[in-house]
């Protein structure tokens, strides 16, 4: 049986790969619909969005306002899960179109938290600028922020997109001590 090739080198399932002239082998993972950031150069499926310029623009705005982290939810100002395209801030920033998620961008890292319904979709739509966090707990998001934002750092968000209550405040102010080691780029 032949594998569907989509322009790549055709292979027999049980035989070592061989390419006819004019074809090249792809060194990415066997699943070509999932990103692979562990190879050089990284493999991105055609459904991934290049977010490098968008992140650079956001980080420039963060520096201008002395923000060390910026939180973006997938909801709109009415806290709706299913929102109009014009309100899809998370979708525009990441390329991820799932209906549930939270993003945190620092000056040198970016992560998306979503639940198991969307893990495969996120791997198909995110580029290698993003870390996929496979949980949605506010506590895990807060721990990540405390790990990557310096003590006394500024965490910013759009207040119209959050029901701020005590949960975020508790997570960001009453957490265990930060990690002792600083990242090598600081």
């Amino acid at each position: 049986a032949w594998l569907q090739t989509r322009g790549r080198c055709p292979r027999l399932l049980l035989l070592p790969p061989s390419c006819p002239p004019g074809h090249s082998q792809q060194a990415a993972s066997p699943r070509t619909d999932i990103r692979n950031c562990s190879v050089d150069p990284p493999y991105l499926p055609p459904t991934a969005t290049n977010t490098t310029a968008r992140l650079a623009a956001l980080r420039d705005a963060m520096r201008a306002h002395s923000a060390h982290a910026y939180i973006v939810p997938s909801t709109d100002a009415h806290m709706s899960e299913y929102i109009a395209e014009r309100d899809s801030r998370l979708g525009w920033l990441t390329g991820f179109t799932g209906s549930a998620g939270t993003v945190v961008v620092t000056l040198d890292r970016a992560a998306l938290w979503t639940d198991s319904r969307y893990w495969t979709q996120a791997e198909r739509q995110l580029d290698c600028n993003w870390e996929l966090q496979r949980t949605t707990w506010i506590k895990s998001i807060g721990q990540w922020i405390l790990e990557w934002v310096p003590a006394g750092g500024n965490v910013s968000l759009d207040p119209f997109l959050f029901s701020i209550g005590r949960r975020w405040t508790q997570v960001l102010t009453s957490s265990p001590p930060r990690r002792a080691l600083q990242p090598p780029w600081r």
Side-chain angles (χ1 to χ4, degrees), residues 149-163:
V149 171
N154 215 353
V155 178
S156 300
L157 51 82
D158 182 339
F160 294 105
L161 303 179
F162 286 87
S163 173

Side-chain angles (χ1 to χ4, degrees), residues 1-2 16 44 66 70 82 84 96 102 106 112 118 127 129 159 170:
W2 288 92
L44 296 176
S66 302
Y70 190 71
Y82 300 100
F96 172 68
T102 302
T106 67
L112 166 74
Y118 298 110
D127 64 7
N129 290 315
Q170 284 177 332

Side-chain angles (χ1 to χ4, degrees), residues 55-85:
L55 282 169
L58 175 58
R59 288 176 172 139
D60 287 345
M62 290 169 60
R63 283 184 197 91
H65 292 88
S66 302
H68 295 94
Y70 190 71
I71 305 171
V72 181
S74 58
T75 58
D76 62 8
H78 304 285
M79 307 300 157
S80 303
E81 182 176 357
Y82 300 100
I83 61 174
E85 186 177 342

Side-chain angles (χ1 to χ4, degrees), residues 87-134:
D87 292 324
S88 181
R89 293 158 184 86
L90 185 144
W92 176 84
L93 183 61
T94 65
F96 172 68
T97 59
S99 67
T102 302
V103 159
V104 178
V105 177
T106 67
L107 296 175
D108 48 19
R109 298 181 73 102
L112 166 74
W113 282 261
T114 192
D115 62 57
S116 61
R117 296 177 292 169
Y118 298 110
W119 293 346
T120 302
Q121 179 180 348
E123 290 289 359
R124 290 177 177 151
Q125 293 179 329
L126 297 174
D127 64 7
C128 292
N129 290 315
W130 296 93
E131 300 171 22
L132 176 59
Q133 304 290 326
R134 289 175 164 84

